mmCIF file of all heavy atoms in Angstrom:
data_model
loop_
_atom_site.group_PDB
_atom_site.id
_atom_site.type_symbol
_atom_site.label_atom_id
_atom_site.label_comp_id
_atom_site.label_asym_id
_atom_site.label_seq_id
_atom_site.Cartn_x
_atom_site.Cartn_y
_atom_site.Cartn_z
ATOM 1 N N GLU M 6 81.662 93.498 106.308
ATOM 2 C CA GLU M 6 82.357 92.224 106.529
ATOM 3 C C GLU M 6 81.689 91.102 105.728
ATOM 4 O O GLU M 6 82.344 90.275 105.108
ATOM 5 C CB GLU M 6 82.396 91.859 108.000
ATOM 6 C CG GLU M 6 83.114 90.547 108.242
ATOM 7 C CD GLU M 6 83.307 90.202 109.701
ATOM 8 O OE1 GLU M 6 83.173 91.072 110.572
ATOM 9 O OE2 GLU M 6 83.641 89.019 109.971
ATOM 10 N N ARG M 7 80.359 91.090 105.765
ATOM 11 C CA ARG M 7 79.611 90.048 105.003
ATOM 12 C C ARG M 7 79.909 90.181 103.504
ATOM 13 O O ARG M 7 80.079 89.160 102.817
ATOM 14 C CB ARG M 7 78.131 90.229 105.297
ATOM 15 C CG ARG M 7 77.291 89.061 104.854
ATOM 16 C CD ARG M 7 75.836 89.116 105.303
ATOM 17 N NE ARG M 7 75.320 90.361 105.873
ATOM 18 C CZ ARG M 7 75.245 90.633 107.176
ATOM 19 N NH1 ARG M 7 75.656 89.764 108.076
ATOM 20 N NH2 ARG M 7 74.777 91.794 107.606
ATOM 21 N N MET M 8 80.022 91.415 103.002
ATOM 22 C CA MET M 8 80.308 91.610 101.586
ATOM 23 C C MET M 8 81.714 91.075 101.241
ATOM 24 O O MET M 8 81.894 90.430 100.216
ATOM 25 C CB MET M 8 80.207 93.092 101.198
ATOM 26 C CG MET M 8 80.382 93.325 99.711
ATOM 27 S SD MET M 8 80.237 95.051 99.205
ATOM 28 C CE MET M 8 78.667 95.483 99.924
ATOM 29 N N ILE M 9 82.688 91.309 102.110
ATOM 30 C CA ILE M 9 84.035 90.782 101.869
ATOM 31 C C ILE M 9 83.998 89.261 101.844
ATOM 32 O O ILE M 9 84.533 88.628 100.928
ATOM 33 C CB ILE M 9 85.010 91.299 102.961
ATOM 34 C CG1 ILE M 9 85.289 92.786 102.763
ATOM 35 C CG2 ILE M 9 86.315 90.513 102.902
ATOM 36 C CD1 ILE M 9 85.995 93.444 103.924
ATOM 37 N N ARG M 10 83.346 88.646 102.808
ATOM 38 C CA ARG M 10 83.291 87.198 102.851
ATOM 39 C C ARG M 10 82.570 86.638 101.621
ATOM 40 O O ARG M 10 82.944 85.625 101.052
ATOM 41 C CB ARG M 10 82.610 86.723 104.138
ATOM 42 C CG ARG M 10 83.474 86.987 105.375
ATOM 43 C CD ARG M 10 82.861 86.406 106.636
ATOM 44 N NE ARG M 10 83.643 86.759 107.794
ATOM 45 C CZ ARG M 10 84.791 86.124 108.166
ATOM 46 N NH1 ARG M 10 85.212 85.121 107.464
ATOM 47 N NH2 ARG M 10 85.437 86.515 109.257
ATOM 48 N N ASP M 11 81.503 87.321 101.181
ATOM 49 C CA ASP M 11 80.792 86.919 99.979
ATOM 50 C C ASP M 11 81.676 87.071 98.742
ATOM 51 O O ASP M 11 81.599 86.186 97.858
ATOM 52 C CB ASP M 11 79.498 87.735 99.832
ATOM 53 C CG ASP M 11 78.655 87.190 98.692
ATOM 54 O OD1 ASP M 11 78.322 85.982 98.734
ATOM 55 O OD2 ASP M 11 78.352 87.963 97.761
ATOM 56 N N LEU M 12 82.481 88.107 98.669
ATOM 57 C CA LEU M 12 83.400 88.251 97.534
ATOM 58 C C LEU M 12 84.379 87.108 97.470
ATOM 59 O O LEU M 12 84.653 86.558 96.395
ATOM 60 C CB LEU M 12 84.136 89.585 97.614
ATOM 61 C CG LEU M 12 83.460 90.765 96.971
ATOM 62 C CD1 LEU M 12 84.224 92.066 97.292
ATOM 63 C CD2 LEU M 12 83.347 90.585 95.479
ATOM 64 N N PHE M 13 84.974 86.751 98.618
ATOM 65 C CA PHE M 13 85.921 85.632 98.638
ATOM 66 C C PHE M 13 85.213 84.345 98.181
ATOM 67 O O PHE M 13 85.809 83.551 97.454
ATOM 68 C CB PHE M 13 86.561 85.490 100.019
ATOM 69 C CG PHE M 13 87.751 86.411 100.200
ATOM 70 C CD1 PHE M 13 87.598 87.696 100.563
ATOM 71 C CD2 PHE M 13 89.043 85.937 99.989
ATOM 72 C CE1 PHE M 13 88.675 88.562 100.711
ATOM 73 C CE2 PHE M 13 90.154 86.758 100.115
ATOM 74 C CZ PHE M 13 89.945 88.084 100.506
ATOM 75 N N ALA M 14 84.004 84.114 98.630
ATOM 76 C CA ALA M 14 83.255 82.937 98.215
ATOM 77 C C ALA M 14 82.965 82.974 96.695
ATOM 78 O O ALA M 14 83.077 81.968 96.023
ATOM 79 C CB ALA M 14 81.941 82.830 98.984
ATOM 80 N N ALA M 15 82.660 84.145 96.178
ATOM 81 C CA ALA M 15 82.366 84.297 94.745
ATOM 82 C C ALA M 15 83.634 84.041 93.903
ATOM 83 O O ALA M 15 83.555 83.415 92.844
ATOM 84 C CB ALA M 15 81.800 85.676 94.466
#
Side-chain angles (χ1 to χ4, degrees):
E6 180 175 344
R7 194 171 12 263
M8 186 179 306
I9 290 169
R10 291 185 184 280
D11 188 56
L12 272 172
F13 275 83

